[in-house]
Amino acid sequence: MKYESVTIKDIALKLNLSTSTVSRALRGSYEISDKTKKLVEDYAKKINYHPNPIALSLKERRSHTIGIVVPEIANNFFSQAINGIESIAYGSGYHVSISQSHESFDRELIIVQHMASRSIDGLLISVSSETKDSSYLKSLHDRGMPIVFFDRIIDEIDTFKVVCDNFKGAYDATTHLIKQGFKNIGHITSSAHLFITRKRLEGYKKALADHKLLYKESLVKHCDHGGMDVEEVKKAVNELFNAKDKPDAILSAGDRITTVMISVIKNYKSINKDIAYLGFSNSELTDMFSPSLTAVCQPAFEMGKVATELLIKLIESKRPIKEFETKIMESKIVIKESSIKKR
Amino acid sequence: MKYESVTIKDIALKLNLSTSTVSRALRGSYEISDKTKKLVEDYAKKINYHPNPIALSLKERRSHTIGIVVPEIANNFFSQAINGIESIAYGSGYHVSISQSHESFDRELIIVQHMASRSIDGLLISVSSETKDSSYLKSLHDRGMPIVFFDRIIDEIDTFKVVCDNFKGAYDATTHLIKQGFKNIGHITSSAHLFITRKRLEGYKKALADHKLLYKESLVKHCDHGGMDVEEVKKAVNELFNAKDKPDAILSAGDRITTVMISVIKNYKSINKDIAYLGFSNSELTDMFSPSLTAVCQPAFEMGKVATELLIKLIESKRPIKEFETKIMESKIVIKESSIKKR
DNA sequence: GTACAATTTGGTATCGTTTGCGTAAATAAA
DNA sequence: TTTATTTACGCAAACGATACCAAATTGTAC
């Protein structure tokens, strides 16, 4: 079955005009008489003519479409960011094309390449936890594709970036736990090579140091699939609590890692239920957890908006932009029950 | 800035061949000598040639892309369904283009029209709670666009549909509550005109009738924005609990309505905390709620898969398909704490 | 009435790709 | 050697729309 649509040619034929005249009439060119314009416009409306965007894309070599690549849409941070992106994109006449890498590098590569060849005008991407090699993005960028990174950024590629203050987020969270009286704080986080992972780890370390607590590598566990694989989180939790030196509180990085961690903790009989935890999360549901979750919440919607504004600036700029900035936005820590020391 | 890509012409020029020869060589046509084929293939690989999908779409009038329209991706049911859709689509060589209506009819209309003109090969849609007028879909369908509905279906349009057994889901859920000893069960649900809303309401009514309980219209509240608007849920809860005849249990329909309802209930001081509830939800987090949530869970991933298989069948069928079926899948009720009667 | 400008329209190339048709050269058959 | 048949390739049209350039028509001035 094939979907048939009406073209400029149909109009030209019917009205005994050339396609060029019809085209110009429809775009309101000054060189077409009002009479002809009216004729064409009326008939176009009557038969419900819409220009074929595929043909336009081919001709103009742009699609008025922004590509979005995120690890996972079933993640509040990303779905909120997407909403922010859409709010700006639609307002500026762009459509968006959303794809998920599912934290897989291979899939990410395929998706981005497909998008590039489908003439997206620009790319908004938060890379997968597996993405160590960013050369494919580098080369795309070098060939002129406007790219803006958000959240999971690639530091080596020189373009606009939008992150939240991961260092401060982790620092504040850790400090909060320390002030509650916890002395042995574990950290479950994402792939070690991710920029945000490094920043969060730095914040965590700095808070420990500032409060004269020893940093112990054994208390930090990495989940290379960002929590997509429940087993890796289970393993991390296991290792933490089966060690001689057990943590009394845990800081987790990332929406998914946080929720999986909580469910793992809940289901482990051997774990002291007094364990405190605090996670990076944008879920609206954490209030309903028991205990309710203290979380570092990122301004996802806002980040999506800002990233999109920057991208559109890149796309629509007449001359190549050389000066790039990295927008750092504030995350905020919402204190609930899970991080409070029981006495 | 403009992204430049390498074309068949570049190859032809470099190799002193015509574009037709290059094209044929690349597609392995029998009328090209092995020598030339090798030459072309090697060079194409060397300069990393990829056919321009836009040009192909224009020529072949298909895009190998499936459009997905859902009310909201930040909803476990839909994000799981999307994962199911992707699993089949990618496996069959299709890409997907995801868009959200945000439960708005106007936005849905724009999105679908944009997709149609961008030559999607077929459409998978779960309509917004505002969609009463489906004539635009009807006309699209009449003009040959393959469409498969899932979850929020339009009964009047004759094509493939995938739903889960909403009647049974609601019937079983209501029966469970009745067996727990609740006698005055409220029902908060989505727009009255939605097919799934009607079916769930029927299941609810039937369960009441089968257990000799009176159906009271005052105990049924509709949220016309499917829970997107917190106020409407608040209002529904308010009305239920400010009436003389208060419910002792509530059945809610839809992921979002369920979670918003719970948070509303939790925050209302005046509501008896012994109120029982049971919701339609696909969230993995309901285990962590307190009380943990008894939920009717839909086979979202599976539904996405089945819908996509049907759509691809429609797309690739040589002759128009006249016989359509509606796949009805089993939902299952997972009993936790929130629906258990306290004694 | 002629010359020239202004206005309005048509022809055609173009974007990147595929494909039917034509044809030159190479090979096979007579 | 002549004729028939392959083989291997090029030309050009097409998909839908735009835009440059040329041309036709009309109007204006002398």
Side-chain angles (χ1 to χ4, degrees):
Chain A
M1 296 231 49
K2 197 147 287 179
Y3 174 76
E4 297 292 344
S5 60
V6 17
T7 79
I8 217 169
K9 224 186 249 173
D10 301 328
I11 301 180
L13 225 60
K14 174 77 178 188
L15 264 39
N16 266 320
L17 291 169
S18 75
T19 57
S20 18
T21 305
V22 175
S23 170
R24 269 181 288 237
L26 255 17
R27 333 200 82 236
S29 164
Y30 66 96
E31 28 180 344
I32 301 294
S33 70
D34 291 346
K35 206 181 73 189
T36 311
K37 262 185 202 166
K38 178 108 176 53
L39 195 71
V40 173
E41 280 164 3
D42 287 354
Y43 186 66
K45 190 167 291 170
K46 186 180 152 213
I47 62 173
N48 194 28
Y49 167 82
H50 285 283
N52 181 329
I54 300 271
L56 282 178
S57 291
L58 184 59
K59 186 101 186 60
E60 298 177 1
R61 314 169 99 206
R62 58 177 305 190
S63 56
H64 290 276
T65 300
I66 289 173
I68 306 178
V69 179
V70 294
E72 195 77 6
I73 55 177
N75 172 314
N76 281 74
F77 172 76
F78 292 118
S79 55
Q80 286 163 20
I82 288 171
N83 289 347
I85 292 169
E86 285 186 343
S87 75
I88 297 295
Y90 287 136
S92 310
Y94 287 87
H95 276 263
V96 304
S97 171
I98 306 166
S99 281
Q100 331 183 47
S101 65
H102 292 287
E103 302 283 15
S104 149
F105 174 73
D106 294 340
R107 176 153 289 290
E108 182 177 290
L109 185 64
I110 292 171
I111 289 169
V112 171
Q113 241 138 33
H114 178 255
M115 283 185 164
S117 63
R118 273 213 89 79
S119 299
I120 53 166
D121 294 348
L123 178 66
L124 286 170
I125 182 168
S126 197
V127 299
S128 87
S129 55
E130 280 183 13
T131 304
K132 296 193 172 113
D133 176 11
S134 60
S135 58
Y136 84 100
L137 283 168
K138 180 96 177 72
S139 94
L140 198 65
H141 185 242
D142 289 345
R143 277 178 293 159
M145 173 69 76
I147 301 181
V148 172
F149 291 97
F150 71 101
D151 190 50
R152 307 253 198 103
I153 67 177
I154 299 287
D155 206 36
E156 297 78 40
I157 298 181
D158 197 26
T159 182
F160 288 121
K161 291 155 201 163
V162 179
V163 282
C164 79
D165 195 339
N166 289 297
F167 176 88
K168 186 163 178 302
Y171 183 90
D172 290 350
T174 311
T175 302
H176 164 71
L177 288 171
I178 295 171
K179 293 210 166 141
Q180 282 294 312
F182 298 108
K183 301 225 169 332
N184 219 27
I185 300 167
H187 184 30
I188 302 183
T189 185
S190 204
S191 304
H193 66 272
L194 282 180
F195 188 75
I196 60 169
T197 302
R198 299 204 305 268
K199 287 291 169 194
R200 287 172 187 182
L201 188 56
E202 283 171 23
Y204 162 81
K205 282 183 185 172
K206 184 69 165 50
L208 293 181
D210 284 357
H211 296 85
K212 311 216 178 346
L213 287 177
L214 200 65
Y215 164 70
K216 301 171 192 163
E217 209 171 314
S218 64
L219 286 178
V220 176
K221 299 292 171 194
H222 291 279
C223 296
D224 286 342
H225 301 90
M228 289 299 293
D229 175 8
V230 175
E231 289 309 315
E232 67 180 2
V233 182
K234 220 174 231 172
K235 184 160 163 282
V237 173
N238 245 326
E239 286 177 7
L240 280 177
F241 289 99
N242 288 339
K244 290 140 288 172
D245 191 25
K246 296 182 183 25
D248 53 4
I250 298 182
L251 169 66
S252 76
D255 244 295
R256 194 151 207 117
I257 292 181
T258 302
T259 52
V260 178
M261 175 195 76
I262 297 177
S263 92
V264 172
I265 288 179
K266 289 211 168 211
N267 292 318
Y268 263 66
K269 285 165 289 295
S270 57
I271 297 179
N272 177 1
K273 291 297 182 252
D274 281 352
I275 183 80
Y277 45 80
L278 194 173
F280 278 70
S281 176
N282 273 56
S283 172
E284 297 127 344
L285 303 179
T286 53
D287 246 24
M288 284 172 268
F289 289 8
S290 176
S292 56
L293 178 71
T294 297
V296 179
C297 181
Q298 300 176 262
F301 188 89
E302 209 48 49
M303 288 172 70
K305 276 175 70 170
V306 171
T308 311
E309 283 161 358
L310 291 172
L311 183 65
I312 292 179
K313 189 165 144 191
L314 269 181
I315 293 173
E316 297 184 347
S317 144
K318 299 274 176 252
R319 48 193 69 255
I321 294 180
K322 297 283 182 208
E323 289 298 308
F324 300 108
E325 49 179 333
T326 297
K327 296 257 188 201
I328 300 178
M329 331 231 347
E330 286 272 315
S331 54
K332 71 169 189 289
I333 169 165
V334 183
I335 297 171
K336 294 284 173 61
E337 299 162 0
S338 73
S339 63
I340 303 298
K341 180 129 184 167
K342 303 192 180 67
R343 323 193 168 259
Chain B
M1 297 228 46
K2 198 144 285 179
Y3 173 76
E4 297 292 343
S5 62
V6 38
T7 78
I8 219 170
K9 225 186 249 174
D10 301 329
I11 302 180
L13 225 61
K14 174 75 176 188
L15 264 39
N16 265 320
L17 292 168
S18 73
T19 57
S20 21
T21 305
V22 175
S23 169
R24 271 183 275 245
L26 256 17
R27 334 202 84 234
S29 162
Y30 65 95
E31 31 180 355
I32 301 295
S33 70
D34 291 347
K35 206 180 74 190
T36 311
K37 265 184 200 166
K38 178 114 178 48
L39 196 70
V40 172
E41 282 163 3
D42 287 353
Y43 186 66
K45 190 166 293 170
K46 187 179 152 215
I47 61 173
N48 195 28
Y49 167 80
H50 286 283
N52 181 328
I54 301 270
L56 283 178
S57 292
L58 184 59
K59 190 112 198 33
E60 300 176 0
R61 317 171 96 205
R62 57 179 303 191
S63 57
H64 291 276
T65 300
I66 289 173
I68 306 178
V69 179
V70 294
E72 194 77 6
I73 56 178
N75 172 313
N76 281 75
F77 172 76
F78 292 117
S79 55
Q80 286 163 20
I82 289 171
N83 290 347
I85 292 169
E86 285 187 342
S87 75
I88 296 295
Y90 287 138
S92 312
Y94 286 88
H95 276 265
V96 304
S97 171
I98 306 166
S99 280
Q100 329 182 49
S101 64
H102 293 288
E103 303 283 15
S104 150
F105 174 73
D106 294 341
R107 175 152 289 289
E108 182 178 290
L109 185 63
I110 292 173
I111 289 170
V112 170
Q113 239 136 36
H114 177 255
M115 283 185 165
S117 63
R118 272 212 90 77
S119 298
I120 52 165
D121 295 348
L123 178 65
L124 286 170
I125 184 168
S126 197
V127 299
S128 87
S129 55
E130 282 183 12
T131 304
K132 296 193 172 113
D133 176 12
S134 59
S135 58
Y136 82 100
L137 284 168
K138 180 95 176 73
S139 95
L140 198 65
H141 184 242
D142 289 345
R143 277 178 292 157
M145 173 69 75
I147 300 180
V148 172
F149 291 98
F150 70 101
D151 191 49
R152 307 255 198 100
I153 67 176
I154 299 287
D155 207 37
E156 296 79 39
I157 299 182
D158 196 26
T159 182
F160 287 121
K161 291 156 200 161
V162 179
V163 283
C164 79
D165 195 338
N166 289 296
F167 177 88
K168 186 165 178 300
Y171 182 91
D172 290 350
T174 310
T175 303
H176 163 71
L177 288 171
I178 296 171
K179 293 211 165 139
Q180 283 293 313
F182 298 107
K183 302 225 171 325
N184 219 28
I185 301 167
H187 184 30
I188 302 183
T189 186
S190 204
S191 304
H193 65 274
L194 283 180
F195 187 75
I196 60 169
T197 302
R198 297 205 305 266
K199 285 292 168 191
R200 288 172 187 181
L201 188 57
E202 283 172 22
Y204 162 81
K205 283 184 184 172
K206 184 72 164 52
L208 293 181
D210 283 358
H211 296 85
K212 312 214 180 341
L213 287 176
L214 201 62
Y215 164 69
K216 303 170 191 164
E217 208 170 313
S218 64
L219 286 179
V220 175
K221 299 292 172 194
H222 292 279
C223 296
D224 285 341
H225 301 92
M228 290 298 293
D229 176 7
V230 176
E231 290 308 316
E232 65 180 3
V233 182
K234 221 174 231 172
K235 182 159 165 284
V237 174
N238 246 326
E239 287 177 7
L240 280 177
F241 289 99
N242 287 339
K244 290 141 289 176
D245 191 26
K246 297 183 185 22
D248 53 3
I250 297 182
L251 169 65
S252 77
D255 244 295
R256 193 151 207 117
I257 292 180
T258 302
T259 53
V260 177
M261 174 195 76
I262 295 177
S263 90
V264 171
I265 288 179
K266 286 210 171 211
N267 292 318
Y268 263 66
K269 286 166 289 294
S270 58
I271 297 180
N272 176 3
K273 291 300 181 248
D274 282 351
I275 182 81
Y277 45 80
L278 194 172
F280 278 73
S281 176
N282 272 58
S283 171
E284 296 127 345
L285 303 179
T286 52
D287 245 24
M288 285 171 268
F289 289 7
S290 175
S292 56
L293 177 71
T294 297
V296 179
C297 180
Q298 299 176 265
F301 188 88
E302 208 50 47
M303 287 171 71
K305 277 175 69 169
V306 171
T308 311
E309 283 161 356
L310 291 173
L311 183 64
I312 292 178
K313 188 165 143 190
L314 269 181
I315 293 172
E316 297 184 349
S317 143
K318 300 273 176 253
R319 47 194 70 256
I321 295 180
K322 297 283 178 205
E323 289 297 309
F324 300 108
E325 49 177 334
T326 296
K327 295 257 188 198
I328 299 178
M329 330 228 352
E330 286 273 314
S331 55
K332 70 168 189 289
I333 169 166
V334 183
I335 297 171
K336 293 283 172 60
E337 299 161 0
S338 73
S339 63
I340 302 299
K341 179 129 186 166
K342 302 190 181 70
R343 317 183 176 266

